[in-house]
Amino acid sequence: MKEYRPQEIEPKWQKVWEEKKVFETPQYSQKPKYYALVMFPYPSGTLHVGHVKNYTIGDIVARYKRMQGYNVLHPFGYDAFGLPAENAAIAHKIHPKKWTMDNINTIRGQIKKMGISYDWNREVITCNEDYYKWTQWIFLKLYEAGLAYKKPGAVNWCPSCQTVLANEQVKDGKCERCGTTVTIKHLEQWYFKITEYAEKLLEGLDKLPGWPEHVKTMQRNWIGKSTGAEVDFPVEGLDKKIRIFTTRPDTIYGVTFMAIAPESPLVLELVTDEKRKEVEEFLAKVALEDRFKRTSLEAKKEGVFLGRYAINPLTGERIPIYVANYILYEYGTGAIMAVPAHDKRDFDFAKAYGLPIKQVIKPKDGEWNIEEAPYEEEGIMVNSGPFDGLESKAGIEAVTKYMEEKGLGKKSVQYKLRDWLISRQRYWGAPIPIIYCDKCGIVPVPEKDLPVKLPENVEFLPTGQSPLTLSEEFKHTTCPKCGGPAHREVETMDTFVDSSWYFLRYVNPKLEDRPFDTNDVNYWLPVDQYIGGVEHAVLHLLYSRFITKVLHDLGYVGFDEPFQNLFTQGMIYKDGWKMSKSKGNVVSPDDMIEKYGADTLRMYILFMAPPEKDAEWSDAGIEGVHRFVKRLWNNYYKMLDIINASDVEEAEFGREEKALRRKLHAMIKKIKEDIEGGFKFNTAIAGLMEFNNQLSDYLESVENPSKKLLREIAEKISLIISPFAPHMAEEMWHDLGKETLIVEERWPDYDEEALKEDEITIVVQVNGKVRGKVTVPAGFTEEQIKERAVESVKKLIEGKQLVNTFYVPGKLVNIVVK
Ligand code: ANZ
Ligand code: ZN
């Protein structure tokens, strides 16, 4: 019998697929389209099995859909700009481009050995000029639309990465990439106005039933929409007003102080002379503190009285004004009306500074001791003059309406989302296509002058400034408007800009005069299935949606959501840790392929856990799957031996054959449902394992196996496993005598008829007299048949004692009663 040698058959079939160009996707086809996309990697080294999981899942989807008659687009590329390349340049004196391209070559080789069905003609590399030219074009389009602008301000600075970070790249006050505590710097930087799309980005989520709920929730929370009111509190004795934002206008009768953010210019405008020194000292102290810690819910509440009072516009009460550390300057209006009875932070502050706590909302039922804890829920308004008795919701409306009528305030919607800071003080990114001219000011680079190329010979030094700053050749240019001397923007774009549109470029990767063709992208997009890590929930996935919506509104694409369905896969751990070079716990796909073959590795990755769950790598686990793969192979070639033996007679289907055929079709049904019902590849493979055992039993126990049945099983098995273990499937199919490639065949459907169990009808006698009939599955045991027979005559024998039952196989049951 033929031995299983993955090291021979895998490269062989990979070559055939390549030569026959089977994975090259026609731009248009009669078949329905299907765009299967995996998040492209950052080429920072070699891939480990965790990365490969992503591509394996994508490949199952792509191959399965292809075998269901779809025109499948399944491309691959590299998110090739970014810091690690530049850090490697500084550390090893190797140019970022060389470092990146070397890594890409390694990764490409690794993936090809996995047998992933990519259309390699569509490979996209974001650091290539023919790509970043169009990233710059997108910048210009946003600039023209007023959606890219430059402003000074406090920005997040990573001292280790030596560059600014977008808010989305700061996790719990730390750099998302390197974990260093983020500090604040004051810089003039470029932003994309993603806030203008806050509402559209929220609304769009409701049209994405194919996204996991938790990812949508993360995006909703990140956008952070709050509805409430802005109210003006006049300052006593000054011709000034403090504007606040509140989500709880129903609590306005409970305001006992006001609080302003330390960064607000209002603080120094309002403070009295007596209090000035104390306040200035407080501001100096806060300025040194970590902004993220300072405003966290748990942080100690601190502040200083400004010596000044405001007037509550509804009650006319005098309200002391404080500067307080827990107020964010960038949110709402940077000032609040404080209601300690109903807000925890205000409560803590009031307790610390001995300020009154006045209850104005009470629970619908029961009492609440407001001195002990704030009551933060909605309830019934009390101590609120004409509004007493209203429920919070109605109260919010009534108070807001009243204020609007009196010109005291107005309804307001606020978002937590901030504009996307896209400048980076680094070399290895797409240069921002902007020129500064002393005469003309900010001048965008004309489209015809794109790309603004990165100069090759620059020095890489960890200075905190872009190396482009030091490149005279790059910096000096002429103004496109007036022709006078001018200089270029020396900062580059966040790499998340590169990855916010790569899925469009795959459609027309070689187009020279446009980033993509509108008709072509309208045909291929939205992406039918996107697969990647959940860590991008509010980064890449939000930015891509934003850029798509902008391109849609500018008329370049006809759809406004890029990804119809999203699947987030779990990670692979080793020895309880995320795989990383520094932990030394990386499992390399190359080693596994050498040892077991790519088909085993693919099967193991899919079998180890539900693909959305994190899973722990186990050497014993892959061993086990490898043994299964070999058993399956052996059964297959045992079947082929029987099928091809001339001295074996064709036998009729007996009971065993019918039962095995039923199991075959039940398995096809199960695997189909597992795949289509949501990526249940692990149970699909378990189903295959179970069937393989049943097949073994049959082959071992039956003397004269049916050739016809074995031929059907062999055919179906190879087709079924083709998306999972494509090389082995191809080899089996070929050895079965087929002249086509299995990848171009249809995935099998199950035979509804075969699923039906055979039935037999049994006569039921009581004390020897015929009393009826029962129909039971042919596979029933004697015990089961007798049980059914007794059940069918239950009424007749009620109250009598059952003495015995006799069974004449396939014919009758006689029940003896007294
Ligand atoms: C009075 C009040 C009474 C409030 C009450 C809450 C409960 P979200 O849901 O996050 O939008 N706030 C407003 N601007 C702030 C800022 N810049 N820094 C810190 N806190 C700020 O929260 C809105 C609420 O957070 C606002 O409603 C305000 O406090 C506070 F029983 O106003 B509230
Ligand atoms: Zn000029």
Side-chain angles (χ1 to χ4, degrees):
M1 203 173 47
K2 183 160 161 169
E3 223 182 293
Y4 180 50
R5 290 211 184 88
Q7 290 75 9
E8 280 169 26
I9 63 171
E10 291 181 354
K12 178 177 93 186
W13 289 110
Q14 285 162 13
K15 205 163 144 237
V16 172
W17 294 329
E18 196 164 328
E19 280 169 3
K20 302 228 158 128
K21 303 183 192 302
V22 288
F23 302 128
E24 285 183 20
T25 309
Q27 200 69 343
Y28 287 96
S29 146
Q30 295 289 52
K31 300 173 182 175
K33 71 95 183 178
Y34 192 91
Y35 190 171
L37 180 68
V38 294
M39 288 184 185
F40 64 168
Y42 185 78
S44 63
T46 55
L47 300 178
H48 59 61
V49 291
H51 302 111
V52 167
K53 178 173 173 180
N54 188 193
Y55 315 138
T56 304
I57 296 171
D59 199 44
I60 306 303
V61 173
R63 285 177 178 269
Y64 181 72
K65 286 289 171 185
R66 194 188 308 279
M67 289 182 81
Q68 289 204 316
Y70 286 87
N71 182 26
V72 174
L73 177 59
H74 189 213
F76 197 70
Y78 310 89
D79 191 6
F81 272 138
L83 269 178
E86 201 167 337
N87 291 341
I90 295 169
H92 310 301
K93 304 258 173 269
I94 167 171
H95 195 279
K97 178 152 195 176
K98 166 137 182 41
W99 185 85
T100 303
M101 289 305 168
D102 287 351
N103 285 338
I104 286 177
N105 287 333
T106 307
I107 291 174
R108 191 189 294 115
Q110 287 185 293
I111 297 214
K112 286 196 169 173
K113 280 200 277 175
M114 285 293 290
I116 311 273
S117 63
Y118 292 132
D119 178 351
W120 288 103
N121 278 337
R122 293 175 184 265
E123 192 183 60
V124 158
I125 301 177
T126 61
C127 69
N128 284 347
E129 276 167 30
D130 61 356
Y131 184 85
Y132 74 67
K133 168 177 181 177
W134 300 113
T135 305
Q136 292 172 336
W137 177 88
I138 285 178
F139 177 96
L140 293 180
K141 293 298 143 193
L142 267 82
Y143 183 80
E144 285 164 20
L147 293 168
Y149 67 96
K150 198 176 191 189
K151 75 160 187 207
V155 297
N156 308 304
W157 176 264
C158 174
S160 160
C161 295
Q162 297 265 336
T163 187
V164 304
L165 302 173
N167 285 352
E168 287 79 4
Q169 288 165 310
V170 181
K171 296 263 149 75
D172 304 323
K174 298 198 165 63
C175 171
E176 170 246 356
R177 188 178 278 286
C178 74
T180 306
T181 298
V182 169
T183 59
I184 301 297
K185 253 198 183 187
H186 290 267
L187 289 174
E188 198 170 345
Q189 298 280 277
W190 284 95
Y191 292 83
F192 282 168
K193 224 185 240 176
I194 192 171
T195 52
E196 199 161 304
Y197 277 74
E199 196 57 44
K200 281 187 177 172
L201 287 165
L202 265 185
E203 279 169 6
L205 293 173
D206 298 333
K207 293 184 291 179
L208 296 173
W211 276 43
E213 218 37 66
H214 67 277
V215 174
K216 288 191 277 188
T217 303
M218 283 164 84
Q219 290 211 356
R220 284 193 189 102
N221 291 344
W222 186 259
I223 296 167
K225 179 179 181 175
S226 289
T227 310
E230 282 174 43
V231 189
D232 288 332
F233 281 62
V235 179
E236 189 186 71
L238 289 177
D239 186 21
K240 275 191 194 306
K241 284 180 176 153
I242 303 173
R243 176 162 294 182
I244 62 97
F245 170 70
T246 177
T247 47
R248 297 292 303 268
D250 58 324
T251 65
I252 197 162
Y253 280 74
V255 176
T256 60
F257 65 98
M258 301 196 71
I260 304 177
E263 297 89 344
S264 171
L266 259 186
V267 174
L268 292 175
E269 289 171 25
L270 297 181
V271 66
T272 58
D273 290 343
E274 299 86 81
K275 284 284 178 182
R276 185 168 298 271
K277 187 157 172 282
E278 195 186 337
V279 165
E280 278 173 350
E281 277 166 13
F282 177 74
L283 295 186
K285 179 174 105 83
V286 171
L288 297 175
E289 284 170 9
D290 185 303
R291 185 172 48 161
F292 301 95
K293 274 200 203 120
R294 187 195 99 195
T295 52
S296 74
L297 196 58
E298 307 79 41
K300 193 168 162 238
K301 304 286 167 290
E302 291 181 82
V304 178
F305 177 44
L306 298 184
R308 192 78 68 184
Y309 293 83
I311 304 297
N312 184 326
L314 261 74
T315 65
E317 282 168 297
R318 279 180 99 214
I319 313 282
I321 308 170
Y322 283 74
V323 52
N325 66 346
Y326 67 101
I327 309 302
L328 290 162
Y329 181 48
E330 301 83 9
Y331 186 62
T333 62
I336 66 155
M337 64 178 212
V339 185
H342 304 293
D343 181 285
K344 174 81 169 77
R345 289 164 305 177
D346 299 346
F347 181 89
D348 293 344
F349 192 90
K351 284 282 180 197
Y353 293 91
L355 293 157
I357 299 172
K358 180 182 167 196
Q359 181 170 12
V360 291
I361 303 286
K362 66 165 206 196
K364 271 195 191 135
D365 16 59
E367 286 305 309
W368 193 273
N369 184 348
I370 217 70
E371 283 300 322
E372 247 163 50
Y375 177 72
E376 296 192 281
E377 307 299 307
E378 299 192 336
I380 311 287
M381 290 177 73
V382 294
N383 300 325
S384 297
F387 301 100
D388 276 358
L390 284 180
E391 278 190 33
S392 288
K393 281 216 171 60
I396 289 171
E397 281 208 7
V399 172
T400 307
K401 187 161 164 266
Y402 176 83
M403 292 190 301
E404 281 183 345
E405 280 164 11
K406 300 268 165 189
L408 305 171
K410 61 172 198 295
K411 198 174 162 174
S412 166
V413 177
Q414 299 289 332
Y415 299 91
K416 297 253 152 57
L417 185 68
R418 300 291 89 172
D419 279 341
W420 174 13
L421 196 173
I422 59 121
S423 315
R424 294 293 178 274
Q425 290 65 45
R426 301 301 299 238
Y427 166 82
W428 196 232
I432 295 173
I434 285 289
I435 289 169
Y436 300 100
C437 167
D438 283 345
K439 254 200 252 154
C440 313
I442 293 179
V443 184
V445 173
E447 231 173 283
K448 65 170 178 43
D449 294 344
L450 295 182
V452 177
K453 289 187 196 172
L454 278 175
E456 293 268 335
N457 34 2
V458 295
E459 272 211 84
F460 296 100
L461 302 165
T463 58
Q465 270 187 330
S466 163
L468 296 179
T469 322
L470 309 173
S471 169
E472 297 298 318
E473 161 207 341
F474 178 80
K475 236 170 34 185
H476 296 295
T477 185
T478 48
C479 171
K481 254 195 193 161
C482 70
H487 64 276
R488 288 186 189 282
E489 172 61 80
V490 291
E491 301 195 338
T492 54
M493 281 187 251
D494 181 4
T495 54
F496 279 107
V497 182
D498 308 328
S499 57
S500 68
W501 74 280
Y502 77 109
F503 43 89
L504 300 172
R505 186 67 180 173
Y506 280 143
V507 174
N508 307 101
K510 300 194 169 85
L511 211 54
E512 283 178 8
D513 60 342
R514 281 161 296 159
F516 49 79
D517 178 84
T518 299
N519 287 329
D520 287 356
V521 293
N522 286 350
Y523 167 76
W524 279 109
L525 279 98
V527 168
D528 295 276
Q529 184 64 60
Y530 199 18
I531 300 161
V534 72
E535 65 275 14
H536 289 298
V538 292
L539 288 152
H540 163 62
L541 289 169
L542 188 67
Y543 296 145
S544 302
R545 294 184 59 228
F546 164 58
I547 294 296
T548 301
K549 285 180 186 302
V550 172
L551 292 173
H552 171 264
D553 290 355
L554 297 178
Y556 292 105
V557 305
F559 45 93
D560 65 355
E561 285 290 342
F563 314 124
Q564 198 60 45
N565 296 291
L566 173 70
F567 183 82
T568 53
Q569 90 269 356
M571 286 204 283
I572 298 182
Y573 287 79
K574 173 89 190 294
D575 309 326
W577 298 93
K578 231 168 113 165
M579 285 187 201
S580 76
K581 261 190 228 134
S582 57
K583 284 249 153 40
N585 64 345
V586 170
V587 180
S588 147
D590 310 71
D591 297 346
M592 294 301 122
I593 291 171
E594 207 181 297
K595 200 159 170 199
Y596 304 109
D599 285 339
T600 292
L601 177 57
R602 295 167 61 112
M603 292 275 244
Y604 174 57
I605 286 172
L606 298 169
F607 181 66
M608 65 198 301
E612 69 277 13
K613 293 261 158 55
D614 290 342
E616 174 85 21
W617 180 272
S618 142
D619 294 335
I622 190 167
E623 272 293 341
V625 169
H626 188 55
R627 278 197 301 275
F628 159 67
V629 167
K630 282 192 291 196
R631 274 202 304 275
L632 185 66
W633 173 277
N634 289 341
N635 274 346
Y636 195 92
Y637 283 90
K638 240 187 241 174
M639 290 195 290
L640 288 195
D641 284 350
I642 298 169
I643 292 166
N644 296 329
S646 52
D647 57 340
V648 178
E649 281 294 308
E650 187 58 80
E652 277 293 304
F653 276 18
R655 234 180 88 169
E656 279 94 352
E657 281 74 27
K658 284 185 184 162
L660 188 62
R661 185 160 186 269
R662 186 163 60 241
K663 287 167 184 158
L664 171 71
H665 286 271
M667 167 186 66
I668 298 175
K669 181 165 191 269
K670 177 186 164 46
I671 295 182
K672 185 181 165 80
E673 287 168 359
D674 282 347
I675 295 177
E676 293 175 9
F679 296 84
K680 293 185 202 122
F681 304 131
N682 58 325
T683 57
I685 291 174
L688 188 63
M689 290 172 166
E690 192 189 328
F691 179 76
N692 192 47
N693 287 339
Q694 293 159 343
L695 176 60
S696 298
D697 289 348
Y698 176 81
L699 292 173
E700 275 159 31
S701 67
V702 172
E703 225 167 277
N704 190 15
S706 158
K707 280 189 177 189
K708 186 169 157 225
L709 177 61
L710 293 190
R711 198 173 291 112
E712 180 181 357
I713 292 176
E715 189 164 298
K716 300 283 196 252
I717 286 263
S718 42
L719 289 166
I720 290 167
I721 65 169
S722 175
F724 299 90
H727 311 89
M728 144 176 193
E730 206 69 82
E731 184 79 6
M732 288 170 163
W733 188 250
H734 174 262
D735 290 343
L736 189 58
K738 304 283 186 179
E739 278 164 11
T740 54
L741 285 176
I742 201 167
V743 290
E744 289 175 334
E745 291 295 322
R746 284 299 187 105
W747 207 81
D749 218 334
Y750 55 90
D751 177 359
E752 200 69 63
E753 274 304 308
L755 291 180
K756 285 198 190 134
E757 298 202 34
D758 264 358
E759 291 176 330
I760 47 173
T761 302
I762 305 280
V763 172
V764 183
Q765 296 181 342
V766 177
N767 292 342
K769 256 194 206 155
V770 175
R771 292 296 190 182
K773 282 178 192 163
V774 287
T775 303
V776 296
F780 261 31
T781 60
E782 181 173 338
E783 265 327 292
Q784 287 171 310
I785 292 172
K786 282 177 172 174
E787 214 172 279
R788 277 286 181 88
V790 172
E791 175 73 25
S792 74
V793 292
K794 209 167 95 193
K795 285 233 174 74
L796 264 175
I797 59 175
E798 221 171 55
K800 302 205 167 116
Q801 195 195 335
L802 187 67
V803 180
N804 214 340
T805 49
F806 300 98
Y807 175 53
V808 184
K811 295 219 168 68
L812 68 83
V813 175
N814 185 17
I815 302 163
V816 183
V817 293
K818 273 203 303 209

